[in-house]
Amino acid sequence: MFKKGFIFDLDGVIVDTAKYHFLAWKKLANSIGVDFSEVQNEQLKGVSRVRSLEKILEWGNKTLPEDEFMRLMAMKNEDYLTYINTMDASEILPDVSKTLDFLIKKGQAIALGSASKNATPILHKVNLFQKFDAIVDGNDVSKAKPDPEVFLIGAKLLKMNPEDCIVFEDSVAGVQAANIANMISIGIGEDDVLHEADYIFKDFTEMSSQFLEDLISGTIKKQPKNNLSINN
Ligand code: B16
Ligand code: MG
């Protein structure tokens, strides 16, 4: 039997919490006189809370003392949690549960690879926690995506070699992290944003069971790439 490691990002792949991060960061940024666009927001996807605030301050040409920086991060998270608290299984993105169940039925190893420190409570809220063999989140890593640390820890916990792992990601930083880890990167979202991914789908409804079978058997392989490096 073929066995691969399937690593799922959380925000923007399993649940649409990316919209809640955007709303909470936008409110926080506006409160200190900074604004940013949806295009700029793509750069906040997949990156840590600390790095997100650093980027927002860079965009606004602002520097802050450390205690103020910490206070703003806490404010953003408090606001974000008010959205999260209302979540339930209806917020699981289309065909995610079906894909997880298919992979489980096929005996595949499944991990979460998220930058979020809120990942575990979110998985419990939407009732998917028990479907994962391993969870790696923002509490387990010291280096943010595009560093591959989160996915390499995931592979290790699944007892799989990185080259036998497949990553589902909605962020540019996450796709880059998967590529650097030498895993097959599958972008979930728009072609023009995620063009560095090996394969791109708008969402899981576009992914056939044959495609998943071919990933499992190894018929579908990583695309050759040049110049992979960490650049955030
Ligand atoms: P938190 P993912 C990431 O989650 C989000 O995409 C990113 O926007 C967020 O800043 C990061 O988690 C940290 O989240 O503030 O909840 O710790 O996409 O890697 O699942
Ligand atoms: Mg994401």
Side-chain angles (χ1 to χ4, degrees):
M1 193 189 84
F2 295 109
K3 187 165 179 175
K4 293 283 179 349
F6 287 84
I7 306 180
F8 288 73
D9 174 54
L10 178 70
D11 294 327
V13 168
I14 291 177
V15 282
D16 191 11
T17 37
K19 67 184 177 208
Y20 300 142
H21 279 296
F22 178 59
L23 290 173
W25 278 130
K26 186 114 174 143
K27 186 167 153 197
L28 191 279
N30 289 172
S31 78
I32 55 166
V34 180
D35 202 16
F36 63 92
S37 65
E38 285 206 41
V39 173
Q40 282 173 301
N41 184 57
E42 289 300 326
Q43 294 181 43
L44 302 185
K45 289 186 180 174
V47 305
S48 66
R49 204 180 303 167
V50 174
R51 191 67 196 115
S52 300
L53 183 51
E54 284 172 356
K55 278 180 181 275
I56 289 168
L57 294 175
E58 280 164 27
W59 294 333
N61 256 325
K62 284 190 187 288
T63 48
L64 293 177
E66 183 164 355
D67 57 342
E68 183 62 2
F69 188 98
M70 299 305 281
R71 195 182 69 83
L72 293 183
M73 276 210 312
M75 266 174 70
K76 182 269 173 179
N77 197 50
E78 233 170 80
D79 192 27
Y80 177 66
L81 290 177
T82 60
Y83 295 112
I84 296 315
N85 285 336
T86 65
M87 285 182 80
D88 59 25
S90 68
E91 295 208 41
I92 300 171
L93 287 166
D95 279 4
V96 168
S97 298
K98 185 177 148 195
T99 305
L100 284 167
D101 289 341
F102 181 85
L103 295 172
I104 291 168
K105 204 173 86 201
K106 296 279 172 186
Q108 302 304 297
I110 302 174
L112 187 87
S114 167
S116 175
K117 293 188 172 178
N118 297 301
T120 296
I122 293 172
L123 281 183
H124 280 298
K125 281 228 144 247
V126 300
N127 213 13
L128 287 180
F129 184 80
Q130 68 288 354
K131 301 211 188 260
F132 292 84
D133 300 305
I135 306 279
V136 190
D137 66 23
N139 301 294
D140 305 309
V141 296
S142 55
K143 293 172 233 148
K145 300 169 187 174
D147 191 284
E149 184 186 23
V150 61
F151 298 138
L152 293 175
I153 296 175
K156 203 168 178 184
L157 291 176
L158 295 178
K159 298 187 172 60
M160 303 296 298
N161 292 321
E163 52 276 22
D164 290 325
C165 291
I166 295 111
V167 171
F168 298 108
E169 252 297 344
D170 71 313
S171 72
V172 176
V175 165
Q176 290 169 341
N179 287 341
I180 294 166
N182 201 22
M183 299 175 178
I184 296 181
S185 53
I186 302 193
I188 304 294
E190 299 302 324
D191 293 12
D192 52 343
V193 178
L194 301 173
H195 53 86
E196 290 173 70
D198 293 312
Y199 303 92
I200 304 168
F201 296 89
K202 272 208 167 42
D203 58 35
F204 284 92
T205 66
E206 285 196 343
M207 208 179 295
S208 67
S209 48
Q210 187 58 51
F211 180 79
L212 294 171
E213 296 267 21
D214 290 346
L215 285 170
I216 294 170
S217 68
T219 316
I220 287 181
K221 296 188 193 315
K222 185 154 188 66
Q223 313 270 11
K225 298 221 166 38
N226 300 320
N227 302 327
L228 294 184
S229 64
I230 299 170
N231 179 17
N232 61 339

